[in-house]
């Protein structure tokens, strides 16, 4: 699997022992490559520190997130809007667990916010929300810990996050919220 962010790229690489690690390259000004250091860039892939069960990768603007085979989610890089989901605004150059997420089945990452679908079809989101309410919580304000969007139907199966908007899929129908300046909500 391969994922591209604003100025970096990551891939899931299967190791000889069966471990599924992430390797990233490109911009690393906020630690978004997850190697434990901050540098201008890396032109060749580097292995993300401390995560060996990567199921899915999604990248945003200056940060990265991985859904693990266990259902947990870890994020790393810039955190000025709470996009790492750690309950604070401290950036990290190593993967940190998203608070309270242990049963994720799908992951979506936008420019500065992220969302997961959880076992049973519930959705949790965190990060940037102050400008376009892309977390769907009915009020403005960034959130550094996961919150639940309002008014969604039961049985969500997939999530996708764009620059400043979010969409989920339930019973084959998309539901979207956030920025709609270019008609991205399909309403």
């Amino acid at each position: 699997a391969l994922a591209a962010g604003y100025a970096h790229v990551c891939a899931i690489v299967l190791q000889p022992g069966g471990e599924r690690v992430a390797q990233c390259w490109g911009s690393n000004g906020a630690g978004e490559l997850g190697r434990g250091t901050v540098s201008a860039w890396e032109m060749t892939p580097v292995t993300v520190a401390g995560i060996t069960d990567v199921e899915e990768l999604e990248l945003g603007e200056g940060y990265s997130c991985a859904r693990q085979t266990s259902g947990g989610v870890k994020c790393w890089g810039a955190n000025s809007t709470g996009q790492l989901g750690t309950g604070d605004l401290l950036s990290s150059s190593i993967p940190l667990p998203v608070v309270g997420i242990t049963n994720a089945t799908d992951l979506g990452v936008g420019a500065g916010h992220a969302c997961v679908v959880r076992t049973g079809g519930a959705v949790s989101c965190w990060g940037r929300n102050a400008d376009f309410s892309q977390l769907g919580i009915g009020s403005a304000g960034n959130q550094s810990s996961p919150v639940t969007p309002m008014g969604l139907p039961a049985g969500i199966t997939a999530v996708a996050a764009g620059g400043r908007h979010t969409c989920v899929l339930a019973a084959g129908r998309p539901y979207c919220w956030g920025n709609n300046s270019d008609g991205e909500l399909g309403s």
Side-chain angles (χ1 to χ4, degrees):
L2 186 67
Y6 181 74
H8 69 296
V9 178
C10 295
I12 298 174
V13 178
L14 185 61
Q15 298 295 297
E19 296 174 330
R20 298 168 57 92
V21 301
Q23 292 187 342
C24 303
W25 59 96
S27 176
N28 193 42
E32 60 264 52
L33 301 186
R35 65 178 298 198
T37 61
V38 174
S39 60
W41 64 82
E42 293 291 337
M43 295 172 61
T44 58
V46 295
T47 300
V48 175
I51 184 169
T52 59
D53 62 342
V54 179
E55 183 69 23
E56 179 182 8
L57 287 169
E58 294 282 340
L59 311 182
E61 190 171 332
Y63 75 108
S64 309
C65 293
R67 182 173 59 86
Q68 301 170 267
T69 55
S70 64
V73 174
K74 290 186 176 181
C75 298
W76 58 95
N79 196 30
S80 61
T81 62
Q83 62 264 49
L84 300 187
T86 55
D88 58 41
L89 299 178
L90 301 174
S91 298
S92 177
S93 61
I94 60 168
L96 298 174
V98 175
V99 175
I101 303 295
T102 60
N103 59 349
T105 60
D106 195 33
L107 171 65
V109 169
H113 74 291
C115 297
V116 294
V117 177
R118 300 170 84 152
T119 303
V123 175
S124 295
C125 299
W126 59 92
R128 187 175 186 160
N129 189 57
D131 49 2
F132 294 105
S133 298
Q134 53 266 54
L135 301 185
I137 56 174
S139 62
N142 299 334
Q143 301 292 318
S144 62
S145 297
V147 293
T148 302
M150 298 171 39
L152 293 179
I156 304 294
T157 57
V159 62
R164 305 279 187 266
H165 65 287
T166 309
C167 295
V168 296
L169 190 65
R173 181 172 179 205
Y175 296 82
C176 300
W177 60 91
N179 184 23
N180 195 33
S181 61
D182 294 312
E184 55 265 59
L185 302 186
S187 59

